[in-house]
Amino acid sequence: RKEVEQDPGPFNVPEGATVAFNCTYSNSASQSFFWYRQDCRKEPKLLMSVYSSGNEDGRFTAQLNRASQYISLLIRDSKLSDSATYLCAVNPGSGTYKYIFGTGTRLKVLA
Amino acid sequence: NAGVTQTPKFQVLKTGQSMTLQCAQDMNHNSMYWYRQDPGMGLRLIYYSASEGTTDKGEVPNGYNVSRLNKREFSLRLESAAPSQTSVYFCASSEGGVDYGYTFGSGTRLTVV
C-alpha cells in the first residue's frame, strides 16, 4: 500500500458544481497535512493547510479524518479556473520535516 | 519578491555527463528540498536539508548529491546522468517544522539522452 494515495481522476464537473477529493494515508503517526494545486507544466502551489478541526478558505474546505486516515478537499461553486491537479502532502511524523505527496487528482471544470 | 529560483529551466544532457541544478530562496527559510516529478509517480523526495549545514537522503537519492552552500542556496548534482534521471526537478523551501508548507521553484525540465 502506498503511503499516500489519491484517485487520479479526472473529475469532470460543470461550472458551479461542488466536488470533493479524498487523500488516504497509511501512517497513523502522520502529523500535518496540506493541499497543493498544480497547473499543467507549473510548480505546485500551496492551497491550504488541513487542521484537525477542519478549515475553510472561501469556496474551499479541507477536513481531516484521523480515525479513517484520510483528508478531504471540497470545492464549492466550481470555476473554470479551478481546473488543475490537486496534490495532498502528508508529514509522516517522527520529527521529520519532509512531506510525502500523493500523485494528485486532476479536476476539469467544464463550461 | 522572487521566492524560490531554480536554474536552468531546461537542460538536455547526454548519458554520462554531469551537471548541477541550482536553487536559491530569499525568504530566509531554514529547510530546503529537492523533488523529482514523473508521470504517475508524483513528487518524490531526493534530498533535503532541514537547516543550514545538514543534508539527508530522501526516497530516491541514488545518482545524486547535494550541497547546502549557505542558508539561501541548495544545489543538486548529477555526477553521471542516466536516461532514468529524465524528469522535472523541483526545489522547495519552508520555514521548517511540521506546521509549514512548501514554496516551490518553477522547476527544471531535464532530458537525458
Side-chain angles (χ1 to χ4, degrees), chain B residues 14-60:
Chain B
K14 293 183 180 179
T15 298
Q17 286 185 318
S18 62
M19 79 163 294
T20 299
L21 280 63
Q22 307 287 354
C23 176
Q25 52 92 8
D26 63 1
M27 297 172 286
N28 202 35
H29 283 173
N30 291 310
S31 302
M32 298 185 74
Y33 309 82
W34 277 104
Y35 283 84
R36 60 179 287 175
Q37 188 173 38
D38 303 289
M41 302 291 288
L43 285 159
R44 292 182 291 167
L45 183 63
I46 305 171
Y47 272 94
Y48 67 105
S49 171
S51 60
E52 186 179 358
T54 69
T55 60
D56 287 286
K57 294 179 180 179
E59 181 185 355
V60 288

Side-chain angles (χ1 to χ4, degrees), chain B residues 96-113:
Chain B
V98 299
D99 295 327
Y100 301 98
Y102 293 170
T103 300
F104 282 88
S106 58
T108 295
R109 293 186 176 277
L110 175 67
T111 301
V112 182
V113 298

Side-chain angles (χ1 to χ4, degrees), chain A residues 82-99:
Chain A
D82 293 333
S83 297
T85 297
Y86 292 84
L87 308 174
C88 61
V90 176
N91 177 282
S94 302
T96 180
Y97 293 173
K98 60 186 180 182
Y99 280 82

Side-chain angles (χ1 to χ4, degrees), chain B residues 80-91:
Chain B
S80 178
S84 61
Q85 293 178 305
T86 293
S87 188
V88 180
Y89 291 85
F90 288 105
C91 176

Side-chain angles (χ1 to χ4, degrees), chain B residues 3 40 61 69 81:
Chain B
L69 304 170

